[in-house]
Amino acid sequence: MRLTDKVALVTGAAKGLGRAFCLGLAREGARVMAVTRRDMDNLEQTVKMIRSLGGEAEMVQADVASEDDARTMARETVDKFGRIDILINNAAIYDGIKRKPFFEIDLKEWDLVMNVNVKGAFISARAVFPFMKEQGYGKIINLASEVFFTGSTGFAHYVASKGGIIGLTRALAVELGPYQVCINCIAPGFTDTEASRGLADVSKYDVSKTPLRRLERPEDLVGAALFLASSESDFMTGQTLLVNGGRAMH
């Protein structure tokens, strides 16, 4: 197993992509700290699923946009497992966003999206960095999106936030590299998750422009995450992997 004795912290872990990442990490031997802001029932279910596989997992409630919460989740991870090797910044505002022309987007909604999607990743990376620096090793994986490369009508704030994630990743790659901490991005396409189903009828998604001719599933992203979390990617940092069935190419 590629991640035996490693410890992973995953935000937005209650369901969807976050749950898939947690399960994939656990199958490869990692001990997992699962984090969410409010969906504690589903977070508990994620932990139970990991334990049913014979894995080790704990959970903590935290708002990634709060510096105090981010420090708490990092500290609790170290208190429970002794270290932090992997951070997956998966938490993001996506579910419930209504498409609107950019001139109709409420500025409070703009600020919320940026606060969670960009500032949250920044704060979370800063919270785990002291532990990774002390170890002289770490892997941080940020979630961007295909829409950064294609644009998306009515989603200006979300698209901008995912562009911000890619910029943040590149900037931190330069700063974290001397400490042997690698930071990279995964950019999914439109994926069949609970959040996506709340946004659109996924059964009507046009896959004709996707070379692989099907809708993306959460498990399609796990392989890329495991590669970036493992020693196999130790000489890779500041990069963005598009995992979207070829719908956009980079």
Side-chain angles (χ1 to χ4, degrees), residues 29-200:
R31 293 170 288 169
V32 178
M33 177 62 81
V35 181
T36 194
R37 178 170 63 95
R38 59 184 179 182
D39 193 356
M40 297 306 293
D41 288 343
N42 274 315
L43 190 70
E44 185 175 1
Q45 186 61 31
T46 297
V47 170
K48 287 180 178 178
M49 291 171 74
I50 293 170
R51 291 172 178 169
S52 73
L53 298 172
E56 291 184 56
E58 299 290 343
M59 64 182 190
V60 63
Q61 184 172 15
D63 178 356
V64 296
S66 161
E67 191 167 24
D68 287 343
D69 279 16
R71 286 174 176 166
T72 296
M73 74 182 184
R75 172 49 62 190
E76 290 204 17
T77 303
V78 173
D79 288 347
K80 293 284 187 181
F81 298 122
R83 57 190 294 120
I84 304 174
D85 299 288
I86 301 155
L87 167 66
I88 299 186
N89 276 319
N90 175 67
I93 295 289
Y94 173 64
D95 190 12
I97 295 178
K98 305 298 182 185
R99 291 186 183 272
K100 297 176 186 176
F102 84 97
F103 50 83
E104 291 183 5
I105 293 174
D106 186 278
L107 291 183
K108 289 182 180 179
E109 185 172 275
W110 172 279
D111 289 344
L112 178 62
V113 170
M114 292 296 174
N115 207 36
V116 175
N117 295 10
V118 185
K119 182 182 174 184
F122 172 74
I123 288 174
S124 296
R126 201 152 70 168
V128 304
F129 173 64
F131 305 105
M132 292 182 174
K133 178 183 176 182
E134 184 178 358
Q135 295 162 190
Y137 184 85
K139 296 297 184 83
I140 299 174
I141 302 167
N142 291 331
L143 269 290
S145 174
E146 172 193 287
V147 296
F148 169 72
F149 299 92
T150 62
S152 185
T153 302
F155 257 21
H157 46 359
Y158 183 77
V159 175
S161 75
K162 292 306 180 179
I165 282 290
I166 291 175
L168 177 66
T169 300
R170 292 176 179 178
L172 294 188
V174 176
E175 293 198 40
L176 301 182
Y179 305 100
Q180 301 305 305
V181 176
C182 300
I183 179 167
N184 294 286
C185 276
I186 299 172
F190 186 73
T191 307
D192 185 5
T193 63
E194 295 90 341
S196 293
R197 289 179 212 138
L199 194 69

